[in-house]
Amino acid sequence: MNKYSISTKLNIFVAIGLLFLNMVVTIFVYYSVKDALLVAQFEKLTAVKTAKKEEISSYLKSLEGLLVSLASNKTTKDSFVAFEDSFYKIQKESNLTALEVKDKLKSDFNSNYLNTVNYNIPSVEQKREVDAYIPKDINGVIAQYVFITQNENKLGEKNKLIFNPKYDFSYMNAHKTYHDSFDKILSAFSLYDIFLVDLKGNVIYTDFKEKDFATNLKDGPYSNTGLADAYNKALSLNESNIAFSDFKAYEPSYNQSASFISTPVYIDGVKKGVLIFQLPVDKINTIMSFNGKYEESGLGQSGEVYLIGNDYKMRNNSRFVDDIQESAVKTLKSTIGVFEIKTDSTKNVFEANKSGYDVINDYKNVPVLSVYDSLEVFGKKWAIIAEKDLDESLKALFDVRNYMVIVGLISGFFTCLIFIIVIRRIIINPLNILNNGILNLINSSDVNSKIIVNSDDEIGKISNNFNLYLDDIKKDMEQDLKAIEEARKIMGKVAYGLFNDRIKSQGSSNAVNGMITSINDMLTATQKNVNAAM
């Protein structure tokens, strides 16, 4: 730095100082705003999580109330008696032959069912021979044939059949009497299906008429499913109590995940069977997905709220289900019951038994703001998680930071420019004037070249002292010139042989005074010699 001028050094130091100050202010504001923004974003996510927790809890509670209420309803009890009594008369009253019905049922299974079930999913029972799916009870075989195979409505809409006059037997008449009521309840509460199962384990009625209809849950093809689990649990319950079977793959629903709640049906104080609801996946998804209005709900482009069971698998579809590459998810086009999420948040709920919030890496390995809490679902513990990408959450902060950097650079540039102008005016220019005065003295010995003093600062004082120094030099020069002039005149007299005069003036320095003394001594000595010679 020694080779640079003071002007350059000052400019560099001013620029560095302003840049450092701008950086310090930016960092301070950045982290102050960041902390405040994080708190605000966590509060927003907490509010969203709380609202969804209340909404899903209320909905599931309403289903529990509906199940218990429906089981104790007289119409339900009457329908149970009618269905149970007529179910075991189907073969006798229909006049259908078992062989003909089974062959057509098998053909229907092969062409319209088994080839559409997703078996490429971990831990599901693999495809069996078609005979394994046929009900063992001939009444069940005929019931499936009439209400599924002979049902002209397409798959997924078999519940539209209320009565087929071609099969005018007592079960069909019971179906005509009660099915419409059950179907309206299913539609009103967005249920997936409604089941009535007797104590023998036979599914004597379903609303939706999938392949579980008319099968036996004790020793039939679906005796190891969630439906059978819900049924078996309900058999040991008292009236108005409920059992719950959590989400897992359910073969009659094409191995999509299904969940069931059940309660016993008592008639005249005697347990007669079980009423079961298959929980509505679509309704739960609609609630948790804000009906697709994520951005309007404050979750932006990356936020979501999801449910996790104690097996760490999702209980609703991820907002980003289409981006997940796991094979089971791609096969089912669903994350429910198959996609595992083990993050710090889910572990805190199930392993540490706590709720809270934190910045974590989510299941996409992306930093997110995560709010986590537990949720009781029919006696089981689920986790409810609300998350939003950290980058999106702090986008406003990044905008502020970028704005501050740009403004800081612009303001720093102009401030630096002003500083340079001021420094040049109050420091550099006076220094240049002082330097020019010194150079002028060196080059011309002109002691009259004084510096104009315009300030009382340090440079002004130096300049004033330089002027005083010039005055002293001028005074000394005048004094020396006077002595020199006197010596010149005396030396002129010496040329005419006059040695009586002496230099009386004093010089400004010892050297000059020594010279004067030497001249005077020389004149005295010369005069003595002259006088002696005479």
Side-chain angles (χ1 to χ4, degrees):
M1 291 289 289
N2 292 332
K3 65 180 180 179
Y4 296 115
S5 66
I6 291 177
S7 174
T8 302
K9 291 177 182 178
L10 286 175
N11 291 341
I12 292 174
F13 287 134
V14 166
I16 292 174
L18 288 175
L19 183 62
F20 177 75
L21 179 62
N22 180 56
M23 182 178 67
V24 170
V25 171
T26 300
I27 291 174
F28 175 77
V29 173
Y30 175 83
Y31 282 103
S32 298
V33 174
K34 179 181 179 181
D35 291 341
L37 188 58
L38 282 175
V39 170
Q41 289 291 333
F42 274 125
E43 288 178 349
K44 183 184 294 185
L45 279 176
T46 300
V48 171
K49 179 269 300 179
T50 301
K52 283 298 154 185
K53 179 179 178 179
E54 289 298 320
E55 187 176 358
I56 198 69
S57 294
S58 296
Y59 176 69
L60 295 177
K61 195 71 177 176
S62 71
L63 294 186
E64 179 181 348
L66 175 66
L67 180 69
V68 172
S69 175
L70 195 61
S72 61
N73 183 272
K74 182 179 184 303
T75 301
T76 302
K77 295 179 180 182
D78 290 344
S79 69
F80 192 96
V81 171
F83 283 129
E84 183 180 35
D85 181 63
S86 60
F87 181 81
Y88 296 100
K89 299 177 181 178
I90 291 176
Q91 180 190 24
K92 181 180 179 180
E93 295 178 354
S94 65
N95 295 319
L96 293 171
T97 63
L99 182 60
E100 177 188 6
V101 169
K102 280 188 178 182
D103 287 341
K104 292 182 179 179
L105 196 57
K106 288 179 184 180
S107 177
D108 182 47
F109 262 97
N110 283 321
S111 59
N112 296 318
Y113 176 64
L114 293 178
N115 60 349
T116 61
V117 177
N118 293 306
Y119 291 104
N120 188 27
I121 302 168
S123 303
V124 301
E125 189 169 357
Q126 293 303 299
K127 182 178 179 181
R128 292 164 280 178
E129 293 295 329
V130 67
D131 286 324
Y133 297 97
I134 305 301
K136 294 180 180 180
D137 191 307
I138 187 58
N139 296 291
V141 173
I142 296 173
Q144 282 199 356
Y145 172 75
V146 170
F147 286 92
I148 298 177
T149 302
Q150 291 294 297
N151 189 335
E152 295 180 353
N153 296 290
K154 62 183 180 180
L155 287 172
E157 296 181 2
K158 299 293 185 180
N159 59 316
K160 289 183 177 180
L161 173 64
I162 297 176
F163 179 79
N164 187 343
K166 182 179 177 180
Y167 303 102
D168 189 12
F169 44 78
S170 57
Y171 187 93
M172 183 63 75
N173 285 293
H175 195 270
K176 178 181 178 181
T177 302
Y178 299 107
H179 175 72
D180 188 56
S181 296
F182 282 118
D183 199 50
K184 286 180 179 177
I185 291 172
L186 180 138
S187 178
F189 289 87
S190 302
L191 295 170
Y192 188 93
D193 208 348
I194 299 174
F195 305 82
L196 292 175
V197 188
D198 66 13
L199 295 180
K200 295 178 181 178
N202 285 316
V203 181
I204 57 176
Y205 170 80
T206 73
D207 185 284
F208 210 53
K209 301 300 185 299
E210 288 190 321
K211 298 299 183 178
D212 46 18
F213 171 57
T215 62
N216 190 280
L217 298 182
K218 291 185 176 181
D219 58 7
Y222 309 116
S223 58
N224 292 321
T225 63
L227 178 63
D229 180 53
Y231 167 73
N232 290 322
K233 288 177 179 177
L235 289 177
S236 61
L237 297 179
N238 293 323
E239 190 172 9
S240 299
N241 291 332
I242 70 161
F244 174 55
S245 181
D246 211 338
F247 281 96
K248 65 178 182 179
Y250 185 57
E251 192 174 6
S253 295
Y254 309 96
N255 273 332
Q256 294 284 342
S257 289
S259 179
F260 305 88
I261 54 174
S262 58
T263 190
V265 177
Y266 280 79
I267 300 175
D268 296 330
V270 178
K271 186 184 299 181
K272 299 292 290 184
V274 177
L275 173 65
I276 305 174
F277 287 168
Q278 185 171 343
L279 293 187
V281 172
D282 290 342
K283 180 64 176 180
I284 294 174
N285 274 329
T286 298
I287 292 173
M288 301 308 296
S289 68
F290 304 84
N291 203 23
K293 298 180 179 179
Y294 289 100
E295 294 191 37
E296 294 89 333
S297 302
L299 291 175
Q301 297 179 349
S302 64
E304 63 177 327
V305 184
Y306 55 87
L307 302 169
I308 300 290
N310 57 13
D311 57 358
Y312 288 97
K313 293 179 180 177
M314 294 190 73
R315 296 300 188 254
N316 65 288
N317 274 327
S318 164
R319 179 181 182 180
F320 308 102
V321 61
D322 293 335
D323 299 327
I324 297 173
Q325 298 304 309
E326 189 169 305
S327 60
V329 175
K330 292 181 74 66
T331 298
L332 294 172
K333 296 181 173 56
S334 172
T335 57
I336 301 171
V338 294
F339 188 60
E340 183 179 85
I341 297 181
K342 271 195 175 183
T343 61
D344 290 342
S345 292
T346 58
K347 289 177 182 178
N348 278 333
V349 173
F350 293 117
E351 297 176 17
N353 196 32
K354 65 180 183 180
S355 60
Y357 59 87
D358 205 348
V359 177
I360 67 164
N361 284 341
D362 69 354
Y363 61 88
K364 304 186 296 293
N365 201 32
V366 173
V368 297
L369 306 186
S370 182
V371 176
Y372 52 91
D373 198 359
S374 60
L375 172 70
E376 184 178 335
V377 177
F378 307 121
K380 285 201 173 186
K381 184 177 182 180
W382 286 2
I384 181 168
I385 313 291
E387 291 177 340
K388 188 177 182 181
D389 285 6
L390 179 63
D391 284 349
E392 184 179 15
S393 300
L394 297 182
K395 184 179 183 301
L397 174 64
F398 298 147
D399 293 341
V400 170
R401 178 200 61 190
N402 295 337
Y403 176 78
M404 287 183 63
V405 169
I406 294 172
V407 171
L409 290 175
I410 294 174
S411 62
F413 171 78
F414 285 105
T415 303
C416 188
L417 186 63
I418 293 170
F419 265 92
I420 289 172
I421 294 172
V422 172
I423 288 172
R424 178 170 293 278
R425 182 172 182 179
I426 66 176
I427 297 177
I428 304 303
N429 289 344
L431 284 176
N432 286 333
I433 293 173
L434 177 59
N435 183 57
N436 291 333
I438 295 172
L439 290 175
N440 184 64
L441 177 64
I442 293 172
N443 295 326
S444 67
S445 299
D446 183 5
V447 295
N448 292 314
S449 301
K450 288 188 176 182
I451 298 172
I452 299 174
V453 179
N454 295 318
S455 66
D456 292 328
D457 58 15
E458 287 78 357
I459 296 177
K461 290 177 181 178
I462 293 173
S463 299
N464 190 57
N465 289 334
F466 179 75
N467 289 337
L468 292 175
Y469 174 66
L470 290 179
D471 288 341
D472 288 342
I473 291 176
K474 182 179 180 182
K475 182 179 178 182
D476 290 344
M477 289 179 65
E478 288 175 349
Q479 187 175 341
D480 290 342
L481 287 173
K482 182 180 178 182
I484 291 170
E485 179 62 25
E486 187 178 353
R488 186 184 64 78
K489 289 178 180 180
I490 291 173
M491 294 306 292
K493 292 180 179 181
V494 169
Y496 292 101
L498 300 175
F499 300 101
N500 295 326
D501 291 338
R502 301 289 184 270
I503 302 172
K504 296 182 176 56
S505 299
Q506 295 292 315
S508 63
S509 64
N510 290 333
V512 175
N513 287 329
M515 182 190 71
I516 291 172
T517 301
S518 297
I519 293 172
N520 285 336
D521 290 344
M522 181 189 70
L523 289 172
T524 300
T526 302
Q527 187 179 24
K528 287 181 180 182
N529 292 332
V530 171
N531 290 336
M534 294 180 62

